[in-house]
Amino acid sequence: MFDKLDSLEKKYEELGELIADPAVIGDQARWQQYVKAHSELSEVAAVYHEYKQASAELDDIMQMLQDKLDTEMRELAELEQVELEEKKETLEQKLKILLLPKDPNDEKNVIMEIRAGTGGEEAALFAADLFRMYTRFAELKGWRTEIIDAHHTDLNGIKEITFVIEGKGAYSQLKFESGVHRVQRVPTTESGGRIHTSAATVAVLPEAEEVDVEINPNELRIDVFCSTGPGGQSVNTTQSAVRITHIPSGIVVSCQDEKSQHKNKDKAMRVLRARMLDKAQQDQQQQLASTRKSQVGSGDRSERIRTYNFPQNRVTDHRIGLTLHRLQDVLMGNVQEIVDALVTTDQAEQLQQVD
């Protein structure tokens, strides 16, 4: 590990010299490439520098303890020794995590799809709750949300909705949300006060760039039709809604959120690229039987991952056994504690595989 860290530190220093070189600055394309590479190595370089500094200080303390010291000085030195050993161990663990293979999708925007499952109207109302939870989480992170397509019910529930969350590292934070989310509560439509169990499915896809997925226009069938739902008279008279079918894979995407057919087509293509990238990655994982199957990162849409229990004010993530008794706070978008726990568990599993 330390040979690799020495190599990365050397590369970091070389890149620092290059981005300060007037000849490189004159070539903006090359300069930006070096700046990006330098930035990507900055955290591991800083932590490694701190680790080496702590190691050197610990060596000095160990040397000092070999000398004759009065009782007070020895106690202080031994206390500092314990603190430095703990710091060194913490930094070493952090370095191991920083050296783990990076998910190439982590920095990408995400396309999320929420669909009401079992439970009728109550499931649609719960799907709407989940949509609000994720959009509020995005607001707290300073990210931007844009609806691609949505189908609502008469009681303001959501049958299904597709939306984009744009922000640095969005996928790294939200990729473990895929799966079945279950709610237990007394529905507003229930007069007898009985607790019902309903569900909604969430899919999280990294948004694909055109360079990530090659789509042959000749393999697409594009249909236009009149939008349905609220939006005024033009909704039912203008053929602005777009449905795109990728014939080889059978993937179908539709969008009617915009009044412009051109904008709906652009949005639908964003979703199509994301679904095709996701399909390619799923196929690759199935072919590599030896690939690590992470407990929290399987991405199985049929897996029940979390329960939201209203009578007990409880949210439980079943994959990692985490329970929080602040359900309303979570539904208001304060899900960072859950996100952090899932990321930490995934990193621990990866470290275990490496070890």
Side-chain angles (χ1 to χ4, degrees):
M1 180 178 89
F2 293 103
D3 287 343
K4 185 172 183 179
L5 286 166
D6 287 335
S7 176
L8 289 175
E9 184 180 49
K10 184 178 178 182
K11 184 177 180 182
Y12 177 77
E13 291 170 354
E14 289 173 351
L15 286 167
E17 293 174 2
L18 284 168
I19 59 179
D21 187 337
V24 175
I25 295 172
D27 184 347
Q28 277 296 295
R30 190 157 63 117
W31 182 78
Q32 288 177 3
Q33 181 184 352
Y34 289 155
V35 167
K36 182 181 178 183
H38 187 263
S39 175
E40 289 172 352
L41 290 175
S42 61
E43 186 176 8
V44 68
V47 175
Y48 187 40
H49 176 75
E50 192 176 356
Y51 174 86
K52 290 198 298 183
Q53 193 172 36
S55 296
E57 290 175 6
L58 182 59
D59 289 341
D60 291 342
I61 291 292
M62 297 297 289
Q63 184 65 44
M64 185 188 301
L65 286 169
Q66 292 179 14
D67 300 333
K68 289 184 178 181
L69 300 172
D70 60 46
T71 304
E72 185 178 353
M73 283 295 294
R74 180 166 291 277
E75 287 178 354
L76 287 171
E78 287 175 347
L79 182 63
E80 190 171 356
Q81 176 193 353
V82 172
E83 291 176 350
L84 284 168
E85 284 174 344
E86 290 177 353
K87 182 179 182 180
K88 185 179 175 182
E89 186 178 342
T90 300
L91 290 170
E92 185 172 342
Q93 189 70 7
K94 190 172 182 179
L95 286 168
K96 286 181 180 179
I97 292 172
L98 288 170
L99 290 177
L100 287 173
K102 297 290 188 293
D103 184 335
N105 296 318
D106 272 353
E107 296 304 308
K108 291 184 177 180
N109 301 330
V110 299
I111 291 179
M112 297 191 74
E113 300 173 339
I114 302 175
R115 290 183 173 83
T118 54
E121 184 65 45
E122 169 61 11
L125 290 170
F126 177 51
D129 289 339
L130 290 176
F131 172 66
R132 282 190 291 272
M133 179 180 78
Y134 289 124
T135 52
R136 285 171 178 166
F137 176 65
E139 287 175 13
L140 292 171
K141 302 288 286 186
W143 297 338
R144 179 175 173 270
T145 304
E146 180 183 7
I147 295 175
I148 298 289
D149 196 29
H151 299 274
H152 297 270
T153 65
D154 294 337
L155 297 180
N156 293 322
I158 291 176
K159 292 179 182 177
E160 59 181 88
I161 188 167
T162 303
F163 56 103
V164 179
I165 294 180
E166 298 178 350
K168 184 176 175 60
Y171 185 73
S172 70
Q173 294 281 285
L174 292 167
K175 62 183 176 182
F176 300 124
E177 294 301 301
S178 289
V180 177
H181 295 241
R182 186 177 67 167
V183 64
Q184 294 171 329
R185 64 184 173 188
V186 178
T188 54
T189 54
E190 169 62 49
S191 57
R194 294 176 299 172
I195 296 173
H196 285 226
T197 298
S198 304
T201 59
V202 175
V204 183
L205 313 174
E207 184 175 17
E209 303 292 337
E210 290 188 37
V211 294
D212 296 328
V213 179
E214 186 177 342
I215 300 177
N216 184 347
N218 296 324
E219 296 178 342
L220 300 179
R221 185 175 70 243
I222 301 176
D223 303 307
V224 295
F225 55 98
C226 295
S227 301
T228 58
Q233 186 176 359
S234 64
V235 167
N236 299 314
T237 59
T238 305
Q239 290 193 324
S240 58
V242 174
R243 181 188 301 111
I244 301 178
T245 304
H246 183 250
I247 298 170
S249 66
I251 296 175
V252 180
V253 178
S254 61
C255 181
Q256 60 174 7
D257 193 61
E258 300 284 350
K259 293 181 180 179
S260 161
Q261 184 186 120
H262 178 71
K263 288 182 179 179
N264 280 329
K265 181 182 175 183
D266 286 345
K267 284 187 173 184
M269 285 298 295
R270 291 175 74 179
V271 179
L272 177 62
R273 280 193 292 268
R275 287 191 188 170
M276 288 185 66
L277 177 64
D278 180 63
K279 185 178 185 303
Q281 291 173 341
Q282 294 284 345
D283 291 345
Q284 185 182 43
Q285 286 181 2
Q286 289 173 6
Q287 290 170 6
L288 300 173
S290 61
T291 298
R292 179 184 62 91
K293 293 293 184 181
S294 170
Q295 177 191 3
V296 297
S298 64
D300 186 351
R301 312 284 190 262
S302 64
E303 178 190 6
R304 187 193 73 185
I305 65 167
R306 196 174 298 148
T307 295
Y308 305 73
N309 185 295
F310 276 70
Q312 298 176 13
N313 188 34
R314 169 175 62 85
V315 179
T316 298
D317 195 289
H318 303 289
R319 296 163 296 178
I320 55 177
L322 175 67
T323 294
L324 303 176
H325 290 278
R326 49 180 184 86
L327 184 146
Q328 290 298 336
D329 188 44
V330 169
L331 289 176
M332 287 298 293
N334 295 302
V335 297
Q336 191 66 59
E337 184 176 350
I338 300 175
V339 168
D340 290 343
L342 289 164
V343 170
T344 300
T345 300
D346 183 61
Q347 289 174 342
E349 289 176 356
Q350 290 188 63
L351 285 172
Q352 189 175 15
Q353 291 291 326
V354 171
D355 292 341

